[in-house]
Amino acid sequence: MSTRTALASAEDTAALSAPPDDESRERSGPAWSTWALRVLVFAVVLALWQLADVRLVPDYLISSPVHVAKTLWEYATGVQPGLWTDIRVTAEELVLGYAVGVVGGLVVGLGLGYWRLGAAVLSPLIAAVNGIPKIALAPLFLIWFGIGVQSKIAIAAMTVFFVMFYNTYMGVRTMPDNLVNVLRVMGARRATVIRKVTLPQISVPVLSGMKSSVSFAMIGVIVGEFIASQDGVGYLINTATQNFDSATVFAGIVVLMLMIAIGMLLVGMLEQWALRWQRD
């Protein structure tokens, strides 16, 4: 075997046996020590909460982790009915409102990103409507669509729309012109430019907007359920608040946190799949 071949083999072996770099470790997820610290912090918070309920604060104000867990178990097992129906209603409102808002914001953002005149005319109006607190518009949606799921879907869609619109619009407007010009010189059509340049370039801001929109959609849904509803987790929390039932309030908050976490996880999986081209 020649010296050059031996050196090449040694380099290949070293590369295979080398420890993973920081980027590889980041992709593989947090180390076990990080998870251990997370669990420790969570346990300390629960312990302090339990102690505060027993010794410092009345139970009807903050309840306790034990009481909240018991309430969640009673709702989950059907001892206290209604939770699963409320979860189904809120999930339906969340998914549909999120989908409508994402699609609407993406389409309008792409359209105005390419249509400069339309952007110049409509941008001030969009900015003005976006500046209005969404809770101030919620009663109008309740008047227009009633107290059913339609009004909550509309509120959630409106909230998500502006997040997706601005992320998409700014992604298109900040796109490098040289890439577009090269394809146009080669005779590419508008659809080809969008598919080959625009979508890859705006994928990061769009997916970032989709991830942050999960919590915004939930805010819109819960605001609508607080104002007027007959079902939903927001309705459950609002009713428990009026009855000074803090355990049920915290139980409802835990359910909302779990729903948001599931939504963020699903969008994160979509993000990893859509951005796989960056790792290739």
Side-chain angles (χ1 to χ4, degrees):
M1 180 182 295
S2 65
T3 303
R4 183 175 298 178
T5 305
L7 289 174
S9 301
E11 290 174 356
D12 293 340
T13 303
L16 291 174
S17 60
D21 55 10
D22 294 339
E23 185 177 357
S24 300
R25 285 195 293 268
E26 184 177 352
R27 290 174 185 171
S28 63
W32 67 269
S33 58
T34 303
W35 283 106
L37 287 174
R38 290 175 178 175
V39 173
L40 178 61
V41 170
F42 185 68
V44 169
V45 170
L46 290 181
L48 292 176
W49 181 7
Q50 183 69 36
L51 290 174
D53 176 64
V54 173
R55 305 188 178 198
L56 300 177
V57 184
D59 182 74
Y60 71 88
L61 291 180
I62 64 170
S63 188
S64 69
V66 173
H67 196 185
V68 172
K70 179 182 177 182
T71 302
L72 270 174
W73 177 256
E74 290 177 350
Y75 274 111
T77 55
V79 176
Q80 297 190 48
L83 178 62
W84 293 110
T85 300
D86 292 331
I87 291 176
R88 179 186 59 79
V89 171
T90 299
E92 178 184 353
E93 296 164 348
L94 176 67
V95 171
L96 293 177
Y98 177 83
V100 172
V102 166
V103 173
L106 185 62
V107 170
V108 177
L110 280 173
L112 294 186
Y114 279 106
W115 187 24
R116 300 298 177 91
L117 178 60
V121 173
L122 297 177
S123 290
L125 176 61
I126 295 176
V129 176
N130 184 42
I132 301 174
K134 305 305 179 289
I135 192 171
L137 296 175
L140 284 177
F141 286 96
L142 291 170
I143 293 174
W144 295 339
F145 300 104
I147 65 173
V149 297
Q150 293 84 357
S151 57
K152 286 72 175 181
I153 293 172
I155 297 171
M158 176 191 62
T159 307
V160 172
F161 169 82
F162 290 105
V163 178
M164 291 302 303
F165 166 75
Y166 280 110
N167 279 38
T168 305
Y169 177 75
M170 294 306 299
V172 174
R173 295 300 297 268
T174 57
M175 185 174 55
D177 292 334
N178 57 340
L179 297 178
V180 178
N181 294 334
V182 168
L183 285 180
R184 287 177 176 172
V185 168
M186 297 173 63
R189 297 181 178 180
R190 174 66 62 87
T192 304
V193 173
I194 293 176
R195 188 176 69 255
K196 295 294 185 180
V197 178
T198 304
L199 292 181
Q201 288 292 323
I202 69 173
S203 58
V204 173
V206 165
L207 289 168
S208 176
M210 291 178 64
K211 184 175 290 187
S212 60
S213 292
V214 174
S215 57
F216 282 104
M218 181 62 81
I219 291 173
V221 168
I222 298 304
V223 165
E225 291 181 349
F226 274 3
I227 295 176
S229 63
Q230 297 175 330
D231 295 293
V233 180
Y235 172 77
L236 174 69
I237 294 174
N238 193 33
T239 303
T241 302
Q242 296 174 5
N243 296 328
F244 290 93
D245 184 2
S246 59
T248 301
V249 171
F250 279 106
I253 293 173
V254 170
V255 171
L256 293 180
M257 292 172 61
L258 291 175
M259 294 177 69
I260 293 174
I262 293 172
M264 297 283 283
L265 177 63
L266 294 176
V267 176
M269 293 171 60
L270 174 63
E271 181 182 28
Q272 290 184 354
W273 175 82
L275 297 181
R276 67 190 185 281
W277 58 272
Q278 290 186 336
R279 301 187 294 269
D280 295 340

Short mmCIF file of all heavy atoms in Angstrom, two decimals, residues 47-103:
data_model
loop_
_atom_site.label_atom_id
_atom_site.label_comp_id
_atom_site.label_asym_id
_atom_site.label_seq_id
_atom_site.Cartn_x
_atom_site.Cartn_y
_atom_site.Cartn_z
N ALA A 47 -42.97 22.14 44.26
CA ALA A 47 -42.83 22.08 45.72
C ALA A 47 -43.11 23.43 46.36
O ALA A 47 -43.80 23.52 47.38
CB ALA A 47 -41.42 21.59 46.07
N LEU A 48 -42.58 24.50 45.77
CA LEU A 48 -42.84 25.83 46.30
C LEU A 48 -44.32 26.19 46.20
O LEU A 48 -44.89 26.82 47.11
CB LEU A 48 -41.99 26.86 45.55
CG LEU A 48 -40.48 26.78 45.78
CD1 LEU A 48 -39.76 27.79 44.89
CD2 LEU A 48 -40.13 27.01 47.24
N TRP A 49 -44.94 25.80 45.11
CA TRP A 49 -46.37 26.04 44.94
C TRP A 49 -47.16 25.32 46.03
O TRP A 49 -48.08 25.89 46.63
CB TRP A 49 -46.78 25.57 43.54
CG TRP A 49 -48.23 25.78 43.19
CD1 TRP A 49 -49.16 26.45 43.93
CD2 TRP A 49 -48.90 25.31 42.03
NE1 TRP A 49 -50.38 26.44 43.30
CE2 TRP A 49 -50.25 25.73 42.13
CE3 TRP A 49 -48.50 24.58 40.92
CZ2 TRP A 49 -51.18 25.43 41.15
CZ3 TRP A 49 -49.43 24.29 39.94
CH2 TRP A 49 -50.76 24.71 40.06
N GLN A 50 -46.82 24.07 46.28
CA GLN A 50 -47.51 23.28 47.30
C GLN A 50 -47.33 23.91 48.68
O GLN A 50 -48.30 24.04 49.44
CB GLN A 50 -46.98 21.85 47.30
CG GLN A 50 -47.69 20.91 48.27
CD GLN A 50 -49.11 20.61 47.85
OE1 GLN A 50 -49.41 20.49 46.67
NE2 GLN A 50 -50.01 20.48 48.83
N LEU A 51 -46.12 24.35 48.98
CA LEU A 51 -45.86 24.97 50.28
C LEU A 51 -46.61 26.29 50.42
O LEU A 51 -47.12 26.63 51.49
CB LEU A 51 -44.36 25.18 50.47
CG LEU A 51 -43.52 23.92 50.68
CD1 LEU A 51 -42.04 24.27 50.70
CD2 LEU A 51 -43.93 23.20 51.96
N ALA A 52 -46.63 27.07 49.33
CA ALA A 52 -47.34 28.36 49.38
C ALA A 52 -48.82 28.15 49.62
O ALA A 52 -49.46 28.92 50.35
CB ALA A 52 -47.10 29.12 48.08
N ASP A 53 -49.40 27.13 49.01
CA ASP A 53 -50.83 26.87 49.20
C ASP A 53 -51.13 26.45 50.62
O ASP A 53 -52.15 26.82 51.19
CB ASP A 53 -51.28 25.80 48.22
CG ASP A 53 -52.73 25.41 48.44
OD1 ASP A 53 -53.60 26.27 48.24
OD2 ASP A 53 -52.98 24.25 48.82
N VAL A 54 -50.22 25.70 51.21
CA VAL A 54 -50.48 25.19 52.56
C VAL A 54 -50.26 26.27 53.62
O VAL A 54 -51.02 26.37 54.58
CB VAL A 54 -49.56 23.97 52.84
CG1 VAL A 54 -49.67 23.53 54.29
CG2 VAL A 54 -49.92 22.83 51.90
N ARG A 55 -49.23 27.12 53.44
CA ARG A 55 -48.82 27.99 54.53
C ARG A 55 -49.02 29.48 54.28
O ARG A 55 -49.13 30.25 55.23
CB ARG A 55 -47.34 27.76 54.84
CG ARG A 55 -47.03 26.30 55.13
CD ARG A 55 -45.62 26.13 55.61
NE ARG A 55 -45.34 24.74 55.93
CZ ARG A 55 -44.33 24.33 56.67
NH1 ARG A 55 -43.49 25.21 57.17
NH2 ARG A 55 -44.14 23.05 56.91
N LEU A 56 -49.01 29.92 53.04
CA LEU A 56 -48.96 31.35 52.77
C LEU A 56 -50.23 31.92 52.14
O LEU A 56 -50.66 33.01 52.50
CB LEU A 56 -47.76 31.66 51.85
CG LEU A 56 -46.38 31.27 52.38
CD1 LEU A 56 -45.32 31.58 51.33
CD2 LEU A 56 -46.07 32.02 53.68
N VAL A 57 -50.81 31.22 51.19
CA VAL A 57 -51.91 31.75 50.39
C VAL A 57 -53.13 30.86 50.57
O VAL A 57 -53.01 29.63 50.60
CB VAL A 57 -51.52 31.83 48.90
CG1 VAL A 57 -52.63 32.48 48.08
CG2 VAL A 57 -50.22 32.60 48.74
N PRO A 58 -54.32 31.45 50.67
CA PRO A 58 -55.53 30.62 50.78
C PRO A 58 -55.70 29.71 49.56
O PRO A 58 -55.33 30.07 48.44
CB PRO A 58 -56.66 31.66 50.86
CG PRO A 58 -56.00 32.89 51.37
CD PRO A 58 -54.61 32.87 50.82
N ASP A 59 -56.29 28.55 49.80
CA ASP A 59 -56.42 27.54 48.75
C ASP A 59 -57.27 28.02 47.59
O ASP A 59 -57.02 27.67 46.44
CB ASP A 59 -57.02 26.26 49.35
CG ASP A 59 -57.14 25.14 48.32
OD1 ASP A 59 -56.10 24.56 47.97
OD2 ASP A 59 -58.26 24.88 47.85
N TYR A 60 -58.29 28.84 47.86
CA TYR A 60 -59.17 29.26 46.78
C TYR A 60 -58.50 30.23 45.81
O TYR A 60 -59.03 30.51 44.73
CB TYR A 60 -60.46 29.88 47.35
CG TYR A 60 -60.29 31.24 47.98
CD1 TYR A 60 -60.39 32.40 47.22
CD2 TYR A 60 -60.03 31.36 49.34
CE1 TYR A 60 -60.24 33.66 47.80
CE2 TYR A 60 -59.88 32.61 49.92
CZ TYR A 60 -59.98 33.75 49.15
OH TYR A 60 -59.83 34.97 49.73
N LEU A 61 -57.31 30.76 46.17
CA LEU A 61 -56.60 31.69 45.29
C LEU A 61 -55.67 30.98 44.32
O LEU A 61 -55.63 31.31 43.13
CB LEU A 61 -55.81 32.71 46.13
CG LEU A 61 -56.64 33.73 46.91
CD1 LEU A 61 -55.73 34.67 47.68
CD2 LEU A 61 -57.53 34.53 45.96
N ILE A 62 -54.88 30.02 44.82
CA ILE A 62 -53.90 29.36 43.94
C ILE A 62 -54.03 27.84 43.94
O ILE A 62 -53.30 27.18 43.21
CB ILE A 62 -52.46 29.74 44.35
CG1 ILE A 62 -52.15 29.22 45.76
CG2 ILE A 62 -52.23 31.23 44.24
CD1 ILE A 62 -50.68 29.35 46.13
N SER A 63 -54.93 27.29 44.74
CA SER A 63 -55.08 25.83 44.83
C SER A 63 -53.73 25.20 45.17
O SER A 63 -52.90 25.80 45.85
CB SER A 63 -55.66 25.27 43.53
OG SER A 63 -55.98 23.91 43.69
N SER A 64 -53.50 23.98 44.69
CA SER A 64 -52.23 23.29 44.92
C SER A 64 -52.02 22.28 43.81
O SER A 64 -52.98 21.85 43.15
CB SER A 64 -52.25 22.58 46.27
OG SER A 64 -53.16 21.48 46.25
N PRO A 65 -50.77 21.89 43.55
CA PRO A 65 -50.52 20.89 42.50
C PRO A 65 -51.28 19.59 42.72
O PRO A 65 -51.77 18.98 41.77
CB PRO A 65 -49.00 20.67 42.57
CG PRO A 65 -48.46 21.91 43.17
CD PRO A 65 -49.51 22.39 44.13
N VAL A 66 -51.39 19.17 43.97
CA VAL A 66 -52.10 17.92 44.27
C VAL A 66 -53.58 18.06 43.91
O VAL A 66 -54.17 17.17 43.28
CB VAL A 66 -51.93 17.55 45.75
CG1 VAL A 66 -52.80 16.34 46.10
CG2 VAL A 66 -50.47 17.26 46.07
N HIS A 67 -54.18 19.18 44.32
CA HIS A 67 -55.60 19.39 44.03
C HIS A 67 -55.84 19.54 42.54
O HIS A 67 -56.83 19.04 41.99
CB HIS A 67 -56.09 20.63 44.79
CG HIS A 67 -57.58 20.73 44.88
ND1 HIS A 67 -58.23 21.80 45.44
CD2 HIS A 67 -58.56 19.87 44.47
CE1 HIS A 67 -59.52 21.61 45.38
NE2 HIS A 67 -59.76 20.45 44.78
N VAL A 68 -54.93 20.25 41.84
CA VAL A 68 -55.06 20.42 40.40
C VAL A 68 -54.96 19.07 39.69
O VAL A 68 -55.75 18.76 38.78
CB VAL A 68 -54.00 21.40 39.86
CG1 VAL A 68 -54.00 21.42 38.34
CG2 VAL A 68 -54.25 22.79 40.41
N ALA A 69 -54.00 18.25 40.11
CA ALA A 69 -53.85 16.92 39.51
C ALA A 69 -55.09 16.06 39.75
O ALA A 69 -55.55 15.34 38.85
CB ALA A 69 -52.61 16.24 40.06
N LYS A 70 -55.64 16.15 40.95
CA LYS A 70 -56.86 15.39 41.26
C LYS A 70 -58.03 15.86 40.39
O LYS A 70 -58.80 15.05 39.87
CB LYS A 70 -57.21 15.56 42.74
CG LYS A 70 -58.48 14.83 43.16
CD LYS A 70 -58.79 15.07 44.64
CE LYS A 70 -60.09 14.39 45.02
NZ LYS A 70 -60.43 14.66 46.45
N THR A 71 -58.15 17.19 40.20
CA THR A 71 -59.22 17.73 39.36
C THR A 71 -59.06 17.29 37.91
O THR A 71 -60.03 16.90 37.25
CB THR A 71 -59.23 19.27 39.44
OG1 THR A 71 -59.39 19.66 40.81
CG2 THR A 71 -60.35 19.86 38.61
N LEU A 72 -57.82 17.34 37.41
CA LEU A 72 -57.56 16.87 36.05
C LEU A 72 -57.93 15.41 35.88
O LEU A 72 -58.53 15.00 34.87
CB LEU A 72 -56.09 17.08 35.69
CG LEU A 72 -55.69 18.40 35.05
CD1 LEU A 72 -54.18 18.48 34.90
CD2 LEU A 72 -56.38 18.57 33.71
N TRP A 73 -57.59 14.59 36.87
CA TRP A 73 -57.90 13.16 36.79
C TRP A 73 -59.41 12.93 36.80
O TRP A 73 -59.92 12.09 36.06
CB TRP A 73 -57.24 12.44 37.96
CG TRP A 73 -57.57 10.98 38.02
CD1 TRP A 73 -58.44 10.35 38.87
CD2 TRP A 73 -57.04 9.95 37.17
NE1 TRP A 73 -58.49 9.01 38.62
CE2 TRP A 73 -57.65 8.73 37.57
CE3 TRP A 73 -56.15 9.95 36.12
CZ2 TRP A 73 -57.36 7.53 36.95
CZ3 TRP A 73 -55.85 8.74 35.50
CH2 TRP A 73 -56.46 7.56 35.91
N GLU A 74 -60.13 13.68 37.62
CA GLU A 74 -61.58 13.53 37.67
C GLU A 74 -62.23 13.91 36.34
O GLU A 74 -63.15 13.25 35.87
CB GLU A 74 -62.15 14.38 38.80
CG GLU A 74 -61.80 13.86 40.19
CD GLU A 74 -62.31 14.77 41.29
OE1 GLU A 74 -62.78 15.89 40.96
OE2 GLU A 74 -62.22 14.37 42.48
N TYR A 75 -61.73 14.99 35.72
CA TYR A 75 -62.26 15.38 34.42
C TYR A 75 -61.88 14.37 33.34
O TYR A 75 -62.68 14.03 32.47
CB TYR A 75 -61.74 16.76 34.03
CG TYR A 75 -62.56 17.91 34.55
CD1 TYR A 75 -62.06 18.76 35.53
CD2 TYR A 75 -63.85 18.15 34.07
CE1 TYR A 75 -62.81 19.82 36.01
CE2 TYR A 75 -64.61 19.20 34.55
CZ TYR A 75 -64.09 20.03 35.51
OH TYR A 75 -64.85 21.07 35.99
N ALA A 76 -60.63 13.90 33.38
CA ALA A 76 -60.16 12.98 32.35
C ALA A 76 -60.88 11.64 32.41
O ALA A 76 -61.13 11.00 31.38
CB ALA A 76 -58.66 12.76 32.48
N THR A 77 -61.22 11.19 33.62
CA THR A 77 -61.88 9.89 33.77
C THR A 77 -63.39 9.99 33.71
O THR A 77 -64.07 8.96 33.79
CB THR A 77 -61.46 9.25 35.10
OG1 THR A 77 -61.75 10.16 36.18
CG2 THR A 77 -59.96 8.92 35.09
N GLY A 78 -63.93 11.20 33.60
CA GLY A 78 -65.37 11.35 33.48
C GLY A 78 -66.10 11.50 34.79
O GLY A 78 -67.35 11.56 34.78
N VAL A 79 -65.38 11.54 35.92
CA VAL A 79 -66.06 11.77 37.20
C VAL A 79 -66.75 13.14 37.17
O VAL A 79 -67.89 13.29 37.63
CB VAL A 79 -65.04 11.69 38.36
CG1 VAL A 79 -65.72 12.04 39.68
CG2 VAL A 79 -64.42 10.30 38.42
N GLN A 80 -66.05 14.12 36.64
CA GLN A 80 -66.66 15.41 36.31
C GLN A 80 -66.75 15.50 34.79
O GLN A 80 -65.72 15.56 34.12
CB GLN A 80 -65.83 16.58 36.87
CG GLN A 80 -65.73 16.58 38.39
CD GLN A 80 -65.12 17.87 38.90
OE1 GLN A 80 -65.53 18.96 38.50
NE2 GLN A 80 -64.15 17.74 39.80
N PRO A 81 -67.93 15.51 34.23
CA PRO A 81 -68.07 15.42 32.77
C PRO A 81 -67.79 16.74 32.08
O PRO A 81 -67.81 17.81 32.69
CB PRO A 81 -69.53 15.00 32.59
CG PRO A 81 -70.22 15.59 33.78
CD PRO A 81 -69.25 15.52 34.92
N GLY A 82 -67.54 16.63 30.78
CA GLY A 82 -67.49 17.82 29.94
C GLY A 82 -66.14 18.21 29.39
O GLY A 82 -66.06 18.96 28.41
N LEU A 83 -65.05 17.73 30.02
CA LEU A 83 -63.72 18.19 29.59
C LEU A 83 -63.41 17.78 28.16
O LEU A 83 -62.91 18.59 27.37
CB LEU A 83 -62.65 17.66 30.54
CG LEU A 83 -61.20 18.03 30.16
CD1 LEU A 83 -61.01 19.54 30.18
CD2 LEU A 83 -60.20 17.34 31.07
N TRP A 84 -63.68 16.53 27.80
CA TRP A 84 -63.33 16.06 26.46
C TRP A 84 -64.13 16.78 25.39
O TRP A 84 -63.61 17.05 24.30
CB TRP A 84 -63.52 14.54 26.37
CG TRP A 84 -62.55 13.79 27.24
CD1 TRP A 84 -62.85 13.10 28.37
CD2 TRP A 84 -61.14 13.69 27.05
NE1 TRP A 84 -61.71 12.55 28.91
CE2 TRP A 84 -60.64 12.90 28.10
CE3 TRP A 84 -60.25 14.18 26.09
CZ2 TRP A 84 -59.29 12.59 28.23
CZ3 TRP A 84 -58.90 13.88 26.21
CH2 TRP A 84 -58.44 13.10 27.26
N THR A 85 -65.39 17.11 25.70
CA THR A 85 -66.17 17.91 24.75
C THR A 85 -65.57 19.30 24.60
O THR A 85 -65.47 19.83 23.48
CB THR A 85 -67.63 18.02 25.22
OG1 THR A 85 -68.20 16.71 25.31
CG2 THR A 85 -68.45 18.87 24.26
N ASP A 86 -65.15 19.90 25.72
CA ASP A 86 -64.53 21.22 25.66
C ASP A 86 -63.22 21.18 24.87
O ASP A 86 -62.93 22.09 24.08
CB ASP A 86 -64.26 21.74 27.08
CG ASP A 86 -65.55 22.05 27.83
OD1 ASP A 86 -66.54 22.40 27.18
OD2 ASP A 86 -65.55 21.94 29.07
N ILE A 87 -62.43 20.13 25.06
CA ILE A 87 -61.17 20.00 24.33
C ILE A 87 -61.45 19.85 22.83
O ILE A 87 -60.77 20.46 21.99
CB ILE A 87 -60.36 18.81 24.85
CG1 ILE A 87 -59.85 19.09 26.27
CG2 ILE A 87 -59.20 18.49 23.93
CD1 ILE A 87 -59.11 17.93 26.91
N ARG A 88 -62.45 19.05 22.49
CA ARG A 88 -62.78 18.86 21.07
C ARG A 88 -63.20 20.16 20.42
O ARG A 88 -62.76 20.50 19.31
CB ARG A 88 -63.89 17.81 20.94
CG ARG A 88 -64.32 17.56 19.49
CD ARG A 88 -65.52 16.63 19.45
NE ARG A 88 -66.65 17.16 20.17
CZ ARG A 88 -67.48 18.11 19.69
NH1 ARG A 88 -67.26 18.64 18.49
NH2 ARG A 88 -68.50 18.53 20.41
N VAL A 89 -64.04 20.94 21.11
CA VAL A 89 -64.51 22.21 20.55
C VAL A 89 -63.36 23.19 20.38
O VAL A 89 -63.19 23.81 19.32
CB VAL A 89 -65.61 22.81 21.45
CG1 VAL A 89 -65.96 24.23 21.00
CG2 VAL A 89 -66.85 21.93 21.43
N THR A 90 -62.53 23.34 21.42
CA THR A 90 -61.40 24.26 21.33
C THR A 90 -60.40 23.81 20.28
O THR A 90 -59.85 24.65 19.54
CB THR A 90 -60.71 24.38 22.70
OG1 THR A 90 -61.64 24.89 23.66
CG2 THR A 90 -59.51 25.31 22.64
N ALA A 91 -60.15 22.50 20.18
CA ALA A 91 -59.22 22.01 19.16
C ALA A 91 -59.75 22.28 17.75
O ALA A 91 -58.98 22.66 16.85
CB ALA A 91 -58.98 20.51 19.36
N GLU A 92 -61.04 22.09 17.55
CA GLU A 92 -61.63 22.38 16.24
C GLU A 92 -61.48 23.84 15.88
O GLU A 92 -61.09 24.19 14.75
CB GLU A 92 -63.11 21.97 16.25
CG GLU A 92 -63.84 22.27 14.95
CD GLU A 92 -65.33 21.95 15.04
OE1 GLU A 92 -65.75 21.37 16.07
OE2 GLU A 92 -66.06 22.27 14.09
N GLU A 93 -61.79 24.73 16.83
CA GLU A 93 -61.65 26.16 16.58
C GLU A 93 -60.19 26.53 16.32
O GLU A 93 -59.89 27.35 15.44
CB GLU A 93 -62.19 26.94 17.79
CG GLU A 93 -63.68 26.74 18.02
CD GLU A 93 -64.13 27.19 19.40
OE1 GLU A 93 -63.25 27.45 20.25
OE2 GLU A 93 -65.35 27.29 19.63
N LEU A 94 -59.30 25.93 17.08
CA LEU A 94 -57.87 26.23 16.93
C LEU A 94 -57.34 25.80 15.57
O LEU A 94 -56.68 26.58 14.88
CB LEU A 94 -57.09 25.54 18.05
CG LEU A 94 -55.57 25.67 18.01
CD1 LEU A 94 -55.15 27.12 18.25
CD2 LEU A 94 -54.92 24.76 19.05
N VAL A 95 -57.63 24.57 15.17
CA VAL A 95 -57.08 24.04 13.92
C VAL A 95 -57.64 24.80 12.72
O VAL A 95 -56.89 25.20 11.81
CB VAL A 95 -57.38 22.53 13.82
CG1 VAL A 95 -57.02 22.01 12.43
CG2 VAL A 95 -56.60 21.77 14.88
N LEU A 96 -58.96 25.00 12.70
CA LEU A 96 -59.56 25.68 11.55
C LEU A 96 -59.15 27.14 11.48
O LEU A 96 -58.82 27.66 10.40
CB LEU A 96 -61.08 25.56 11.62
CG LEU A 96 -61.64 24.15 11.45
CD1 LEU A 96 -63.16 24.14 11.60
CD2 LEU A 96 -61.25 23.56 10.10
N GLY A 97 -59.15 27.84 12.61
CA GLY A 97 -58.72 29.23 12.60
C GLY A 97 -57.26 29.37 12.22
O GLY A 97 -56.89 30.28 11.46
N TYR A 98 -56.43 28.47 12.71
CA TYR A 98 -55.01 28.49 12.37
C TYR A 98 -54.81 28.25 10.88
O TYR A 98 -54.05 28.97 10.22
CB TYR A 98 -54.29 27.41 13.18
CG TYR A 98 -52.82 27.27 12.88
CD1 TYR A 98 -51.89 28.11 13.48
CD2 TYR A 98 -52.35 26.29 12.01
CE1 TYR A 98 -50.54 27.96 13.22
CE2 TYR A 98 -51.01 26.15 11.74
CZ TYR A 98 -50.11 27.00 12.35
OH TYR A 98 -48.77 26.86 12.08
N ALA A 99 -55.50 27.28 10.33
CA ALA A 99 -55.34 26.95 8.91
C ALA A 99 -55.79 28.11 8.02
O ALA A 99 -55.10 28.49 7.06
CB ALA A 99 -56.13 25.69 8.57
N VAL A 100 -56.95 28.70 8.33
CA VAL A 100 -57.45 29.82 7.53
C VAL A 100 -56.49 31.01 7.62
O VAL A 100 -56.18 31.66 6.60
CB VAL A 100 -58.86 30.23 8.00
CG1 VAL A 100 -59.31 31.51 7.31
CG2 VAL A 100 -59.85 29.11 7.71
N GLY A 101 -55.99 31.30 8.80
CA GLY A 101 -55.08 32.43 8.97
C GLY A 101 -53.76 32.22 8.27
O GLY A 101 -53.22 33.15 7.65
N VAL A 102 -53.22 31.00 8.34
CA VAL A 102 -51.94 30.71 7.68
C VAL A 102 -52.07 30.84 6.17
O VAL A 102 -51.26 31.49 5.50
CB VAL A 102 -51.44 29.31 8.08
CG1 VAL A 102 -50.30 28.87 7.16
CG2 VAL A 102 -50.96 29.31 9.52
N VAL A 103 -53.10 30.22 5.61
CA VAL A 103 -53.29 30.26 4.15
C VAL A 103 -53.55 31.69 3.69
O VAL A 103 -52.97 32.17 2.70
CB VAL A 103 -54.44 29.33 3.73
CG1 VAL A 103 -54.74 29.49 2.25
CG2 VAL A 103 -54.07 27.88 4.02
#
